[in-house]
Amino acid sequence: MVSFPLLKNPSRNVVDDYDGVFIAWSINWASYAATHTPLKFFDAPIFYPLAKTITFSDPMLTAGLIATPFLLATHEPLIAHTAVIFVSYLLFGWFTALFVYKTTQSQALAIGAGTYATFGSYHTMYMGHLHTFMLQWIPLSLLAWSLYMEKRHMRWLWVWVLSFILTAINSPFSGFLFLAAQGVWIFDNKSKHTVMRYWKKLAIPLVVAFGIVLCSYIPYIQSSQLYHSERSIRDAAHTALSLNEVVGSRGFSYGILFFIAILMFKKSSHWFKKGAILVTSVAFILSFGPVLKWNQSTVKIPFPIPLPYSIAYYVVPGMKAFRAPPRWMILASYMAVLGAVYVVKRKDHRLFVIAIFILLALEKPWNYQVFT
């Protein structure tokens, strides 16, 4: 139902006729370069004679690898682009359901959380921006770490490493979201004990993960120095959410407010709830950018009110490269959904799932504009 608008004409239909078309080209280039000229991956055939031109945007390497069999079969970049969307939908819902079921042993909660996290408006609205949409490796990483703590099998730690690499080599911003999502374990004493006791075993996979990601971003560092490509803090302020836009003109839903309300006001001392509140709060606040805004205008009483994003912009490496703070809201939404399932009592599971499908009916995730 959600995918039908694209399937009506898969070789010509696209979700976004601006970024979506460019990303379809990026995926096509990533697939071709990875399979034909990997040493020239960053020297994309755009903006000649400039060097390392793929660094002007996201590498989309993971998307390119997923798209490769579809490109070989059809030679149609838009079909491959749509296929990547479908695969991402499937994996995001499946991994989320597996993680929720693993930690709650509730099929109802697993189905409900997986469905809303996948098809809720905060996820579907980014179909045209695959670098933000492709977050399926986050729930896989949460599942892998959970299984590692339980069984101490190194293969699960390597699954976590692979999840991080697949996320980060696709987009630096989604790599930031991935790392921020790991904050959910901060209040888990078992995780703290595991890290302190097995830090030597953990060190090798983590060095491999961050080493590979860092090497893949050396061209980005070189490019930023060569072309002075940092975004100004005014860019971030211009595109940031206004306080009154959490629900409003940009297509955001009441869903996140519903899940945040459950997360905040349902009594529970579960460590996952505490971690989910932390990550949700951080992501929620970052989505408002460097200064407080109302109706897309900076609030001045009598001077602009600075927000934590303004500190992160100058302190956190890489933050100066991003210009769209509202995208942090997709992590806030996801963590609110995951956190909410931990405070729902067993007798309320069915009501919770019914509420989810009512929200989806109100949000109409299938009702998006398609361009030809």
Side-chain angles (χ1 to χ4, degrees):
M1 188 173 181
V2 173
S3 60
F4 181 72
L6 286 175
L7 289 179
K8 286 191 293 186
N9 193 351
S11 63
R12 297 189 66 194
N13 282 357
V14 67
V15 178
D16 188 315
D17 64 344
Y18 184 71
D19 288 342
V21 175
F22 169 69
I23 288 173
W25 174 85
S26 298
I27 292 172
N28 190 61
W29 167 252
S31 173
Y32 176 83
T35 55
H36 291 79
T37 58
L39 295 181
K40 295 183 178 180
F41 177 85
F42 291 97
D43 294 312
I46 50 175
F47 298 111
Y48 180 84
L50 300 183
K52 297 181 176 64
T53 50
I54 202 65
T55 62
F56 294 172
S57 187
D58 300 88
M60 303 302 293
L61 180 53
T62 304
L65 296 175
I66 294 174
T68 296
F70 300 99
L71 285 167
L72 292 174
T74 67
H75 303 287
E76 290 282 359
L78 288 185
I79 290 180
H81 175 265
T82 299
V84 173
I85 291 176
F86 291 165
V87 170
S88 299
Y89 264 133
L90 177 65
L91 294 180
F92 194 55
W94 184 35
F95 291 150
T96 298
L98 286 177
F99 174 66
V100 172
Y101 182 74
K102 161 69 177 61
T103 51
T104 67
Q105 296 298 305
S106 170
Q107 290 184 348
L109 291 182
I111 293 172
T115 301
Y116 188 83
T118 305
F119 298 110
S121 62
Y122 273 98
H123 191 221
T124 56
M125 71 179 293
Y126 284 113
M127 277 193 290
H129 301 84
L130 276 178
H131 48 300
T132 305
F133 179 84
M134 291 181 63
L135 298 179
Q136 60 263 34
W137 314 115
I138 290 179
L140 179 60
S141 72
L142 300 179
L143 176 64
W145 180 252
S146 177
L147 289 169
Y148 173 71
M149 287 191 298
E150 180 181 308
K151 301 181 179 181
R152 298 288 188 272
H153 291 165
M154 287 297 292
R155 64 173 177 268
W156 294 115
L157 196 56
W158 286 107
V159 170
W160 188 96
V161 167
L162 180 62
S163 300
F164 176 49
I165 293 172
L166 289 174
T167 303
I169 65 174
N170 198 61
S171 164
F173 181 70
S174 59
F176 269 67
L177 296 183
F178 182 99
L179 293 177
Q182 308 310 311
V184 78
W185 305 105
I186 286 179
F187 297 99
D188 180 25
N189 291 328
K190 192 173 182 180
S191 289
K192 294 177 183 177
H193 175 75
T194 299
V195 171
M196 293 179 65
R197 184 173 180 181
Y198 299 99
W199 66 270
K200 291 183 179 179
K201 288 185 177 181
L202 294 170
I204 295 176
L206 290 178
V207 168
V208 170
F210 284 94
I212 291 175
V213 171
L214 180 60
C215 287
S216 69
Y217 279 103
I218 288 176
Y220 277 82
I221 298 172
Q222 296 170 335
S223 179
S224 67
Q225 295 172 344
L226 182 62
Y227 303 119
H228 307 289
S229 55
E230 293 177 348
R231 300 275 187 177
S232 73
I233 198 168
R234 289 180 177 271
D235 281 349
H238 178 70
T239 59
L241 276 181
S242 297
L243 191 59
N244 59 310
E245 284 185 322
V246 177
V247 178
S249 60
R250 295 195 181 185
F252 297 133
S253 73
Y254 291 99
I256 187 173
L257 300 181
F258 172 76
F259 289 107
I260 288 178
I262 293 176
L263 183 60
M264 296 290 186
F265 301 113
K266 274 271 190 176
K267 291 182 179 180
S268 173
S269 59
H270 197 284
W271 63 266
F272 193 91
K273 176 191 173 180
K274 298 176 182 178
I277 288 177
L278 174 66
V279 176
T280 298
S281 301
V282 170
F284 193 85
I285 292 170
L286 288 176
S287 68
F288 293 105
V291 291
L292 188 65
K293 296 169 62 179
W294 187 268
N295 283 336
Q296 279 300 296
S297 297
T298 301
V299 176
K300 298 179 180 179
I301 41 177
F303 48 82
I305 302 173
L307 297 176
Y309 192 101
S310 58
I311 299 174
Y313 177 86
Y314 292 105
V315 173
V316 180
M319 284 290 286
K320 290 184 178 181
F322 307 133
R323 69 171 184 86
R327 292 174 183 171
W328 280 95
M329 195 65 83
I330 193 172
L331 180 62
S333 172
Y334 185 62
M335 281 303 168
V337 173
L338 289 188
V341 304
Y342 286 88
V343 298
V344 177
K345 295 181 179 179
R346 184 169 295 275
K347 65 178 181 179
D348 297 328
H349 285 187
R350 290 184 179 179
L351 290 175
F352 182 79
V353 175
I354 291 172
I356 282 175
F357 283 98
I358 291 174
L359 282 171
L360 288 175
L362 293 173
E363 293 178 14
K364 299 178 181 178
W366 57 87
N367 190 27
Y368 55 86
Q369 188 174 8
V370 172
F371 300 89
T372 302

